[in-house]
């Protein structure tokens, strides 16, 4: 049984993209018919998962907004066909090294059908749902590959995530690599499970994973603090600045804002000039126009 919740559904597609950031998706959450049908099986789950993701995306996001994120498929069925092909390729032909868990797979499909539009992740035809809205999806299989074992996706791993790295010759290798739990050894916060930090009170290269700090906690950097906080100049965790507040970098500013010069400012609305996705409230900068795409409006 998987011991730690995987960080993001984007990890399933890490063979074809480095990461899918949590993309601000849609505003209105119109209900849609369930992808339904008989209970999923290990052989048809990827097909039904791709269909559920595409159906939800086409319900939430109009054609212009989909195009702004590079999703060019003209129909949900066309989208599902493309996405299924990618998922099958990433998972080594659809063969997962683990035991299929039908009840988790069925729960996953239902969670995708009901996911808030704002939690959709869209990078071209690569789609996902924020893990908090679809927690069952990466438990659709109980992975069998041990720590350090070869893997294609997180589904293969008995614990946590499949990490791809390049060796000295430039060859890509994949291995199951778990994030450390509270109390386990670490060398940086990136070694620790979500919501944890690497606490290194004395030795610079050796520490222990511990909960991130609340307001007033002594910190070395913002990664020591809870997600909505930053490490202030006095070395304590503080609330991030709202729009109009002073800043030296983006990490000083609250969610939905960026550091523009020396003050936090709202991220760009639809039509605002942009040079990267991070400039936009929708997390989508349209290359052709150099402007921010709109957020989704619902179906």
């Amino acid at each position: 049984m998987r011991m730690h919740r995987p960080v993001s559904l984007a990890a399933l597609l890490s063979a074809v993209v480095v990461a899918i950031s949590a993309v601000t998706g849609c505003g209105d959450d119109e209900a849609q018919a369930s992808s339904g049908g008989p209970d999923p099986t290990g052989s048809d789950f990827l097909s039904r998962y791709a269909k559920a993701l595409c159906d939800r995306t086409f319900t939430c996001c109009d054609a212009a907004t989909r195009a702004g994120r590079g999703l060019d498929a003209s129909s949900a069925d066309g989208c599902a066909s493309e996405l299924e092909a990618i998922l099958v390729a990433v998972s080594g032909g659809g063969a997962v090294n683990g035991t299929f868990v039908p009840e988790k797979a069925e729960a996953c499909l239902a969670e995708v059908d009901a996911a808030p539009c704002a939690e959709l992740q869209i990078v071209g035809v690569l789609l996902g749902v924020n893990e908090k809205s679809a927690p069952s999806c990466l438990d659709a299989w109980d992975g069998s590959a041990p720590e350090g074992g070869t893997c294609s996706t997180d589904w293969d791993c008995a614990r946590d995530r499949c990490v791809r790295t390049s060796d000295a010759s430039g060859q890509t290798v994949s291995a199951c690599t778990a994030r450390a739990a509270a109390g386990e050894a670490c060398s940086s916060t990136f070694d620790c499970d979500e919501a944890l930090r690497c606490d290194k009170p004395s030795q610079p290269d050796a520490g222990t994973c511990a909960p991130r700090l609340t307001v007033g906690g002594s910190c070395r950097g913002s990664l020591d603090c809870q997600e909505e906080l930053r490490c202030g100049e006095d070395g304590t965790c503080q609330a991030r600045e709202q729009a109009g507040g002073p800043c030296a970098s983006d990490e000083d500013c609250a969610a939905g804002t960026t550091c523009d010069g020396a003050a936090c400012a709202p991220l760009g609305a639809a039509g605002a000039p942009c040079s990267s996705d991070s400039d936009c409230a929708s997390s989508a900068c349209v290359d052709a126009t150099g402007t921010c795409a709109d957020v989704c409006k619902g179906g």
Side-chain angles (χ1 to χ4, degrees), residues 131-160:
E131 64 157 22
K132 294 178 182 177
S133 296
S136 301
C137 290
L138 278 176
D139 288 332
W141 274 273
D142 274 340
S144 299
E147 184 81 359
T150 301
C151 54
S152 295
T153 74
D154 287 353
W155 279 325
D156 293 322
C157 298
R159 181 180 174 184
D160 221 336

Side-chain angles (χ1 to χ4, degrees), residues 275-297:
S275 58
S276 69
D277 291 345
S278 62
D279 294 332
C280 304
S282 63
S283 296
C285 180
V286 182
D287 291 338
T289 62
T291 59
C292 293
D294 199 357
V295 296
C296 298
K297 302 298 186 184

